[in-house]
């Protein structure tokens, strides 16, 4: 296995076998919480892999005990720390006044990164262990296949924060309408067995088997012609979009921004200060 580290600080790119790349979130001390640097470097890593015609399949994994604890509320994105990266989209407006800046920032690095991963023109497999919370879901749900270890736990606690679900709102397609409502309304964890029962996860394996099982699946997929893989992925994604996914994603993102604007006006911070996340993360650090 070869590993590429020189270009990135918060992600690793590994090449465990022919035609397969493995991108690893590399902030284990922060439970792979996503700051601005990690999300931009993740996007750059996928850009590099897109240009490598030898790679047919990409595995997305997380270093350490947990895949990702979500967005890093201790290092919130702002115009200053985004200015060092080339923008992904064209909305921008990161330094504008009021809600405009927040909408531009989240459209860029949250919704924008997730949509780019979802439409990445090669098969992707998420390899998930431990916690996968809110923003973590926004990295695994864009993947084509999800493999989870038995100890994996999933949660979207954004309703508890006073928001209408995470920015990448794929919940009804991943969980079904009624289960999506229950899990959003309660902000409860659900385990790997339940995620598999709901169809969100393809396979559940032991923690010890997780990396090997995922790699073996990637090898099987990598035997297929790349063009056929690309076209098949796009065809399935198009079917989901034709059923209204992109319209729902856009309208929910606006409601998510309304929640931020309300909390900012009501409490002076972007999430409800009475939420569990705010109490744990000292939400004063998340002021705009």
């Amino acid at each position: 296995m070869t590993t590429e580290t020189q270009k990135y600080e918060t992600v690793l790119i590994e090449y465990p076998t022919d035609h397969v790349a493995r991108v690893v979130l590399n902030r284990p001390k922060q439970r792979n919480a996503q700051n601005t640097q990690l999300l931009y470097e993740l996007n750059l890593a996928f850009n590099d892999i897109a240009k490598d015609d030898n790679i047919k399949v990409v595995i997305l994994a997380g270093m350490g005990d947990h895949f990702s604890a979500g967005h890093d509320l201790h290092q919130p994105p702002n115009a200053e720390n985004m200015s060092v990266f080339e923008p992904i989209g064209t909305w921008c407006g990161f330094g504008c006044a009021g809600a405009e800046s927040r909408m531009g920032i989240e459209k860029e690095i949250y919704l924008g990164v997730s949509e780019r991963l979802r439409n990445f023109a090669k098969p992707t497999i998420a390899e998930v262990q431990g916690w996968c919370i809110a923003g973590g879901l926004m990295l695994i749900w864009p993947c084509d296949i999800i493999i989870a270890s038995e100890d994996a736990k999933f949660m979207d606690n954004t309703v508890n924060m006073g928001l209408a679900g995470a920015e990448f709102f794929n919940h009804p397609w991943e969980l079904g309408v009624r289960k999506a409502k229950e899990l959003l309304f309660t902000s409860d964890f659900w385990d790997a067995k339940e995620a598999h029962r709901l169809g969100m996860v393809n396979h559940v394996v032991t923690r010890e088997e997780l990396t090997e099982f995922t790699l073996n699946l990637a090898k099987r997929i990598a035997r297929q012609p790349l063009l056929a893989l690309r076209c098949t992925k796009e065809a399935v994604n198009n079917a989901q979009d034709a059923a209204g996914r992109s319209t729902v994603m856009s309208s929910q993102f606006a409601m998510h921004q309304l929640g931020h604007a309300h909390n900012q006006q009501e409490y002076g911070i972007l999430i409800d200060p009475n939420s569990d996340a705010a109490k744990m993360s000292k939400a004063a650090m998340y002021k705009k």
Side-chain angles (χ1 to χ4, degrees):
M1 177 188 292
T2 60
T3 302
E4 181 177 314
T5 59
Q6 59 270 31
K7 290 180 65 175
Y8 308 103
E9 295 180 4
T10 62
V11 300
L12 303 174
I13 303 180
E14 301 172 346
Y15 300 95
T17 190
D18 291 344
H19 308 304
V20 177
R22 188 170 182 265
V23 179
V24 186
L25 311 179
N26 191 30
R27 301 186 77 215
K29 291 182 179 179
Q30 295 82 21
R31 300 187 178 93
N32 294 318
Q34 304 154 22
N35 62 0
T36 304
Q37 182 180 5
L38 183 146
L39 291 169
Y40 271 114
E41 288 190 353
L42 181 65
N43 183 69
L44 289 171
F46 271 80
N47 281 350
D48 285 345
I49 293 168
K51 292 181 283 188
D52 186 345
D53 293 334
N54 185 55
I55 299 299
K56 296 183 178 182
V57 184
V58 186
I59 297 168
L60 179 61
M63 187 73 72
D65 293 335
H66 301 283
F67 177 81
S68 178
H71 298 158
D72 190 341
L73 302 187
H74 294 283
Q75 296 184 23
N78 55 48
E80 182 178 355
N81 61 32
M82 294 181 68
S83 64
V84 298
F85 300 97
E86 286 297 315
I88 294 168
T90 59
W91 188 279
C92 296
F94 311 136
C96 293
E100 185 175 0
S101 63
R102 175 54 43 185
M103 184 168 183
I105 287 170
E106 297 201 347
K107 199 173 185 68
E108 167 84 356
I109 62 168
Y110 296 154
L111 182 59
V113 168
S114 296
E115 282 288 277
R116 293 199 82 205
L117 292 180
R118 189 252 184 185
N119 294 314
F120 186 75
K122 297 177 183 183
T124 54
I125 307 174
E127 177 187 318
V128 185
Q129 81 284 1
W131 290 354
C132 183
I133 299 174
L137 296 171
M138 292 169 54
L139 297 184
I140 68 168
W141 282 351
C143 291
D144 302 304
I145 294 171
I146 300 174
I147 312 300
S149 62
E150 292 173 335
D151 66 342
K153 292 185 179 297
F154 307 91
M155 179 173 67
D156 183 350
N157 57 344
T158 46
V159 171
N160 182 249
M161 299 181 196
L163 303 169
E167 293 89 341
F168 184 79
F169 192 75
N170 220 45
H171 305 62
W173 287 271
E174 300 288 347
L175 306 169
V177 170
R178 299 208 182 278
K179 201 64 177 180
K181 289 177 181 178
E182 177 189 341
L183 294 171
L184 282 164
F185 292 168
T186 62
S187 294
D188 284 344
F189 274 108
W190 63 98
D191 61 21
K193 182 178 179 181
E194 178 70 351
H196 182 262
R197 186 187 72 81
L198 294 170
M200 187 192 103
V201 164
N202 294 77
H203 300 278
V204 178
V205 299
T206 66
R207 173 70 80 94
E208 293 73 25
E209 296 174 301
L210 179 62
T211 297
E212 182 179 4
F213 184 96
T214 306
L215 180 58
N216 285 337
L217 179 58
K219 289 178 181 178
R220 287 164 54 198
I221 295 171
R223 296 174 191 154
Q224 312 305 328
L226 179 56
L227 178 59
L229 291 170
R230 293 185 200 271
C231 292
T232 301
K233 173 170 181 170
E234 186 160 323
V236 176
N237 281 1
N238 286 344
Q240 196 179 42
D241 285 339
R245 184 205 71 97
S246 53
T247 300
V248 171
M249 192 75 64
S250 179
S251 64
Q252 186 278 337
F253 182 74
M255 288 188 280
H256 182 93
Q257 298 308 312
L258 173 62
H260 277 319
H262 171 78
N263 290 329
Q264 184 70 43
Q265 181 174 330
E266 188 74 8
Y267 307 115
I269 58 175
L270 294 167
I271 62 177
D272 189 323
N274 299 306
S275 67
D276 296 334
K279 293 172 183 175
M280 287 189 293
S281 64
K282 299 179 181 177
M285 299 179 68
Y286 202 42
K287 288 183 179 178
K288 181 174 179 295

